[in-house]
Amino acid sequence: MSCILVTGSKGQLGSEIAKISKDYPAFDFIFIDREEMPLEDTEEIISFLNKTAPNLIISAGAYTAVDRAENEKDLADQINHLAVATISKWCAANGAKLIHISTDYIFDGTSEIPYKESDVSAPINWYGETKLRGERAIEHNLIDAVIIRTSWVYSEYGNNFVKTMLRLMRERESIAVVNDQIGTPTYALDLAKAIMKIIESNKWESGVFHYSNEGEISWYDFAFAINELSSLNCAVNGVATDQFPTIAKRPNYSLLDKSKIKKTYDVIIPDWRDSLKECLQILKN
């Protein structure tokens, strides 16, 4: 039986993979978080991997606090870059495959058409920089790696935009949401299923792939839909990014071109609104 190790098991993606893992009895899953394998400790990473000897690692654990990363630069780099370098070196030395999750934040957001995998990367915040360093470490160390860049992840688990909006919309009569940052949300359950489709496929094509749900919206559009589909009576007002300053800059445009993953692995990607409805139904129940 093939052993799959999933890092970041308490995060959104790790939790969704754990939820559907029972549907894949051909694999032996090991789910770990920072308690079992602290990503800030290189020796602990190597020790744990030697002990468990997985055939494939899904690297979903990451430092994702985008604003806090500007002040915790060493920690963010350790988790998003140096830990990933260690994992990829171990995979290369032990004949294991790697699926690593990266981000749209490796781009500067100045494009006007969806980003392809081959487009030039130029992060505008430290989180994006550390994720790009992690990608480059993998590409340097390991041939058998699939890197999946994704964007605007949400789910029934953890902290995310959907759950924050639901809370605010119940507490307030009106909220303001930026309307000039364009992209597409990613329902973590959809991404989890796409990852398992790649693993189950009889072909393994390494490289960088993009995945998010289908569509093109702003954060305002996303919030408006959450309000509407949840039948809440909160007024959602669109504002420009400069009215909503954050510590870390965000890309204004981070739409991802998904044609490569669809063509290579026959991945069917749901529309963002259909996936949002599904998640909201789960949260309601």
Side-chain angles (χ1 to χ4, degrees):
M1 183 180 278
S2 192
C3 175
I4 299 173
L5 177 76
V6 183
T7 72
S9 64
K10 291 178 183 170
Q12 297 190 79
L13 179 59
S15 297
E16 294 287 10
I17 295 170
K19 186 170 76 173
I20 63 171
S21 61
K22 65 183 183 303
D23 300 330
Y24 302 91
F27 302 105
D28 181 18
F29 289 88
I30 301 172
F31 292 94
I32 57 159
D33 213 83
R34 284 172 69 177
E35 291 84 4
E36 297 86 8
M37 190 180 88
L39 293 174
E40 57 270 38
D41 189 328
T42 302
E43 288 182 10
E44 283 285 332
I45 293 170
I46 295 167
S47 172
F48 191 90
L49 294 179
N50 284 336
K51 191 168 59 182
T52 52
N55 306 101
L56 185 147
I57 298 172
I58 301 174
S59 168
Y63 183 108
T64 57
V66 178
D67 288 320
R68 207 163 69 229
E70 299 294 323
N71 296 316
E72 293 184 349
K73 291 193 168 184
D74 287 348
L75 182 61
D77 189 64
Q78 174 62 47
I79 293 171
N80 291 345
H81 165 216
L82 299 176
V84 173
T86 302
I87 290 167
S88 60
K89 280 180 188 170
W90 186 92
C91 287
N94 292 274
K97 291 183 168 70
L98 175 66
I99 295 178
H100 175 70
I101 307 305
S102 192
T103 175
D104 59 313
Y105 277 32
I106 64 117
F107 296 116
D108 64 8
T110 59
S111 181
E112 293 178 355
I113 57 170
Y115 281 103
K116 292 190 183 314
E117 290 81 358
S118 56
D119 285 340
V120 175
S121 49
I124 57 172
N125 57 45
W126 183 247
Y127 163 74
E129 174 65 30
T130 62
K131 292 296 285 183
L132 179 60
R133 289 180 181 190
E135 285 190 20
R136 287 181 173 158
I138 292 169
E139 288 166 348
H140 182 260
N141 294 329
L142 181 64
I143 296 167
D144 269 343
V146 166
I147 296 169
I148 302 174
R149 294 181 187 139
T150 191
S151 62
W152 301 16
V153 177
Y154 71 94
S155 70
E156 64 180 285
Y157 303 102
N159 299 315
N160 58 66
F161 184 80
V162 173
K163 290 168 78 174
T164 299
M165 288 298 105
L166 287 171
R167 177 177 57 79
L168 293 176
M169 287 166 181
R170 291 180 181 123
E171 290 173 359
R172 301 179 187 178
E173 291 182 3
S174 69
I175 57 169
V177 185
V178 294
N179 59 8
D180 55 358
Q181 292 176 23
I182 305 300
T184 324
T186 303
Y187 184 23
L189 177 59
D190 293 337
L191 178 55
K193 289 175 180 175
I195 289 168
M196 291 312 302
K197 177 145 196 184
I198 290 170
I199 292 170
E200 279 201 312
S201 73
N202 292 322
K203 57 181 175 181
W204 176 270
E205 290 200 29
S206 57
V208 180
F209 297 87
H210 287 171
Y211 185 97
S212 67
N213 284 116
E214 295 284 26
E216 177 178 346
I217 60 170
S218 68
W219 288 106
Y220 164 81
D221 298 323
F222 196 16
F224 190 90
I226 293 164
N227 191 47
E228 182 183 46
L229 293 169
S230 304
S231 301
L232 297 168
N233 293 316
C234 182
V236 183
N237 302 307
V239 296
T241 297
D242 58 15
Q243 291 179 260
F244 216 93
T246 53
I247 296 166
K249 286 177 71 177
R250 266 56 170 187
N252 285 337
Y253 184 94
S254 57
L255 204 63
L256 300 173
D257 184 313
K258 279 90 68 172
S259 50
K260 184 180 174 185
I261 200 168
K262 289 191 276 192
K263 185 180 177 186
T264 306
Y265 285 111
D266 291 326
V267 171
I268 296 165
I269 303 178
D271 183 79
W272 71 270
R273 196 175 174 91
D274 294 333
S275 293
L276 176 60
K277 281 181 192 170
E278 186 182 334
C279 184
L280 288 172
Q281 192 60 46
I282 291 168
L283 288 168
K284 187 178 175 184
N285 294 337

